[in-house]
Amino acid sequence: MIFSKPIFTSLSPNTEKDDIILAFKLIFQPWKWKKGDSIQKLEKEFRSYLGVNNVFVFNSGRSALLAILDSLGIVEGDEVLLQGFTCNAAINPILKSGAKPVFVDIDDTLNLDPNDLKKKITSNSKAVMIQHSFGWPAQIDEIVKIVKENNLFLIEDCAHALGSRYKEKLCGTFGDTAFFSFGRDKILSSVFGGLAVTNNHELGKKIVVFRERIKYPCNSWILQQLLHPLLTNYIVMPAYALSAVLGRLVLGFLHILSILSKAVYKKEKRGKSVKQFPKQFPNALAVLALNQFEKLERFNKHRREIAAFYQKGIKKDNFILPLDKEKIIVDPVFMRYPVLTDLDTDEILKKARKRKIFLDDGWRKSPVVPIDTCLEKMNYKLGSCPRAEKISQSIINLPTHINISQKDAKKVINLVNEYTRDKR
Ligand SMILES: Cc1ncc(COP(=O)(O)O)c(C=O)c1O
């Protein structure tokens, strides 16, 4: 029992053997690290998959967002509206552009609430950014109407929503522009990576100019990312399988020595820029992203099946399942399957850890995640999005990635079903 396979939401959750072997081989092929034809191949695949004219890869979603804000001409004094319950990586580019992030509360699918959006628009508003949280599309028709009436730009943050559809159309094709992420625990992963897309040629030209001005990341940064699939799968996870304390120690040690990267840098939690962004997408990570892209349909089919399994198995008198809704006009990908509870989520996560189920994906306990982000530096005022604040306290996100079998999902279901509302 000591060596039972741990269940993870984070680390390198999407990686399969071929991804690990590919990353391992690339470590010994440094001539392929920066420039190479995989960058153009990846952009071509995405142009065809999304049916958009302009696709530009970057070393992260946040770099792509910086390029988008620059190309839209967003400057100091402008306001960009986005939902509460978001990641600081989506806010920092707005701060860097000089604009003010304005937070809008969320609806019952954890997405931007059009009614609160109307209340928060001012004469300084320039753009609205919608998130499609955990892969469930936002109320696009309502939001597009408000955006048009107020002559604003619409940016889609598709970091969670690669493959999600709204009225049979892919997310990322509704706004003036959109960005995607290939972060370590996203739908597809190359540890870091992302892309900006638009059908507007003028905007596309400006993004090209922005990208020509920025450099490739340094070799040590690229190497750090190539080591991630290997070390998380063969060192960190086995350490967690022995004991959670050992796992944390090993992971912490690899972070301290900068052998492994963190998803968000310390300075970013205080609204500061870091030298790692914006940067061009290195070819080596494009090779990893391309390999994952070939598996997109299988990955998303699996995510939907695991989500349906949770939906069926979790006792609804104990937990609220915010995405247990009819999917008449949406086809979500379920990057995670969120559940809400008024029970103590810290206690549930602690009990889960004892069973080697690691459910903390960082999306909890704060309207701007991760939890130790400085809200003041993000321009977030407590009380401004009451629903986002409440949900952030009561959410647990269940994993749906390709390495979660139905047996694993059953273990997760059994764990949460042991909690009942009267067990306080
Ligand atoms: C909702 C959301 N937007 C934007 C980002 C930024 O993406 P990236 O990590 O690729 O910069 C993330 C992830 O960090 C995210 O979760």
Side-chain angles (χ1 to χ4, degrees), residues 56-115:
F56 309 101
V57 290
F58 288 88
N59 78 330
S60 59
R62 63 203 96 162
S63 295
L65 177 57
L66 270 165
I68 285 172
L69 294 169
D70 183 82
S71 67
L72 290 174
I74 302 240
V75 290
E76 198 171 338
D78 293 342
E79 290 177 356
V80 177
L81 298 114
L82 77 167
Q83 72 169 73
F85 203 39
T86 189
C87 171
N88 69 35
I91 302 166
N92 277 320
I94 301 172
L95 293 171
K96 189 162 177 166
S97 76
K100 182 177 158 196
V102 174
F103 294 92
V104 177
D105 213 348
I106 54 178
D107 63 14
D108 61 359
T109 63
L110 319 180
N111 283 308
L112 186 135
D113 176 7
N115 292 322

Side-chain angles (χ1 to χ4, degrees), residues 50 52 61 64-65 68 72 80-82 90 127-133 136-141 143-144 147 153-162 164-166 169-181 195-199:
L50 294 169
V52 293
L65 177 57
I68 285 172
L72 290 174
V80 177
L81 298 114
L82 77 167
V128 175
M129 193 155 98
I130 50 172
Q131 185 173 277
H132 311 310
S133 307
W136 188 283
Q139 296 185 51
I140 296 178
D141 282 349
I143 294 167
V144 165
V147 161
F153 294 117
L154 180 64
I155 305 168
E156 290 183 73
D157 174 348
C158 296
H160 298 183
L162 175 56
S164 295
R165 286 171 198 269
Y166 177 86
K169 210 172 151 223
L170 282 165
C171 287
T173 60
F174 292 90
D176 295 284
T177 169
F179 69 94
F180 293 82
S181 166
L195 44 85
V197 307
T198 180
N199 264 326

